[in-house]
Amino acid sequence: MRTVDVLVVGAGLAGLHTARLLALRGLDVMVVDRRRSLSTGIRTTGIFVRRTLDDFDLPDHLLGPGVRDVLLYPPSRRAPIRLTSDRDEYRVADMAAVYEHARRAAESAGARVVLGVRYVDSSMGLVRFTGAEPVTARFIVGADGARSRVARDLGLDANRSFLVGAEILHPVASGTTTPAFHCVLDPRIAPGYLGWVIDDGRDTHVGVAGYPDAMPTGVRHLLDAFAADAPGRATPTGPVGRRGGPIPVGGVLRRLACPAGLLVGDAAGAVSPLTAGGLDPCLRMSELAAAVTAVYLRTGDPRALSRYDGAALRTRFRGRLLLRRLFAGIRSPAAAEAVVSALRSRAGRALAARILFGDGSFPDVSPRLRHARSTTSPDTSA
């Protein structure tokens, strides 16, 4: 039976980034994912915000052109509010290619990535799969999505509050549109969230998300109705794809780690409660998770895991969790019209710009990361 230092369940961006960092620290790392190809089962739009682009070395050739304009629409779709930044605020990635790039990076660091293997359960370090022989693992990293089975088996917290989202995506004729992010606040098509069109001049993503209990006809029906006349949508020039899935919006979970393992990415609730963006937090928390795991496995001291404390990170979410509750309460077109009208004021525009263009979308893990790294010996902190 194969024995590994760390088993990572889930080959999304959080799982692969964590695996790479752990392998660079000299640990024996194995990653498993039930998908046979990382180009299938993609659940994210792939929108990277400026803060992520500034702080992480992302492959530029896999990112679309920069987007600086955001247009906010009321349910009537009339007179949208235009917000323009003097910097590129968003870039949309080819996520299939980003995952493959992350896989190669993890494997180059020494991690073993095995696809087509479904996690079944784990107990006392013994991990069982469908599609492969069991392994024993000193530590398990749950990167297996919003409804994590690893969290269940480790006795850690689980996500309880979800949006469900769906989108279509397709190429557009180059040079025919100006890159822009169109956001429609309309509870009839996106109860508790937004309908969106992001067009970077190369591809268009059209999507909706909302609370599933307020979508009696289903998210796909609402998406098709929205896409029929969505503002800013260009004519497809190639195949139209679909993707979607649950989005945890309850904030970072409180209990994220135990001596047997920890959670990263959507499994950890590492998604902004207000914007529902998860790519920036998954990278930041993966770095902290890798540093904490390396120290714990090197020292055997469970106190090292206290640095990976979701309860402490949640204190930075208080304002956005409140705004999430207010956002969830917008259940009529009249209320949505009133909200957009309020955002037309100077103070309203400043608030909208701070949310859409600000640097505070996710708690800063740097102080905890520095402390974790300081307890790692120099020859293992690569």
Side-chain angles (χ1 to χ4, degrees), residues 320-339:
R320 290 178 182 269
L321 285 168
L322 174 60
L323 288 173
R324 162 52 45 202
R325 289 192 287 271
L326 295 174
F327 208 170
I330 303 172
R331 292 298 177 97
S332 73
E337 290 279 354
V339 168

Side-chain angles (χ1 to χ4, degrees), residues 172-197:
V172 298
S174 178
T176 59
T177 59
T178 301
F181 195 173
H182 304 264
C183 300
V184 180
L185 182 60
D186 185 346
R188 295 170 298 185
I189 56 98
Y193 194 60
L194 298 167
W196 67 88
V197 177

Side-chain angles (χ1 to χ4, degrees), residues 69 166 287 309:
D69 288 334
E287 297 217 332
D309 180 7

Side-chain angles (χ1 to χ4, degrees), residues 61-85:
H61 66 287
L62 301 181
L63 300 169
V67 177
R68 300 187 176 195
D69 288 334
V70 176
L71 289 86
L72 301 174
Y73 296 79
S76 66
R77 315 280 178 89
R78 292 193 295 267
I81 301 170
R82 179 183 288 271
L83 301 171
T84 302
S85 174

Side-chain angles (χ1 to χ4, degrees), residues 138 292-305 375-377:
R138 295 174 61 198
V292 165
T293 299
V295 173
Y296 171 63
L297 292 179
R298 179 173 58 83
T299 64
D301 186 349
R303 291 177 298 178
L305 298 173
T375 59
T376 304
S377 58

Side-chain angles (χ1 to χ4, degrees), residues 145-148 150-152 154-160 251-257 263 266-269 310-311 314:
R147 295 188 174 98
S148 170
V150 173
R152 174 204 65 189
L154 296 182
L156 299 174
D157 286 352
N159 294 297
R160 304 296 182 193
V252 175
L253 300 175
R254 289 178 173 83
R255 188 163 184 260
L256 295 175
L263 307 175
D266 283 7
R314 283 182 67 87

Side-chain angles (χ1 to χ4, degrees), residues 116-307:
V117 172
R118 183 185 294 272
Y119 170 89
V120 175
D121 59 25
S122 61
S123 177
M124 304 293 290
L126 176 65
V127 187
R128 298 190 305 152
F129 308 107
T130 299
E133 294 297 316
V135 302
T136 57
R138 295 174 61 198
F139 201 73
I140 303 172
V141 172
D144 53 334
R147 295 188 174 98
S148 170
R149 296 175 67 91
V150 173
R152 174 204 65 189
D153 292 341
L154 296 182
L156 299 174
D157 286 352
N159 294 297
R160 304 296 182 193
S161 179
F162 296 94
L163 302 176
V164 61
E167 72 170 14
I168 59 176
L169 61 152
H170 57 75
V172 298
S174 178
T176 59
T177 59
T178 301
F181 195 173
H182 304 264
C183 300
V184 180
L185 182 60
D186 185 346
R188 295 170 298 185
I189 56 98
Y193 194 60
L194 298 167
W196 67 88
V197 177
I198 187 162
D199 180 349
D200 61 10
R202 188 180 71 180
D203 296 285
T204 290
H205 294 247
V206 184
V208 299
Y211 289 101
D213 61 352
M215 294 178 164
T217 60
V219 66
R220 180 161 182 161
H221 174 82
L222 293 176
L223 172 59
D224 290 341
F226 175 62
D229 62 352
R233 184 185 180 189
T235 302
T237 59
V240 177
R242 288 182 177 266
R243 59 178 60 160
I247 309 167
V249 289
V252 175
L253 300 175
R254 289 178 173 83
R255 188 163 184 260
L256 295 175
C258 67
L262 54 72
L263 307 175
V264 294
D266 283 7
V271 175
S272 171
L274 181 58
T275 66
L279 293 175
D280 181 79
C282 92
L283 290 172
R284 294 184 192 281
M285 286 193 67
S286 293
E287 297 217 332
L288 179 59
V292 165
T293 299
V295 173
Y296 171 63
L297 292 179
R298 179 173 58 83
T299 64
D301 186 349
R303 291 177 298 178
L305 298 173
S306 66
R307 291 291 163 185

Side-chain angles (χ1 to χ4, degrees), residues 368-382:
R368 293 176 176 275
L369 182 59
R370 284 193 296 271
H371 186 278
R373 284 174 172 167
S374 71
T375 59
T376 304
S377 58
D379 61 337
T380 60
S381 61

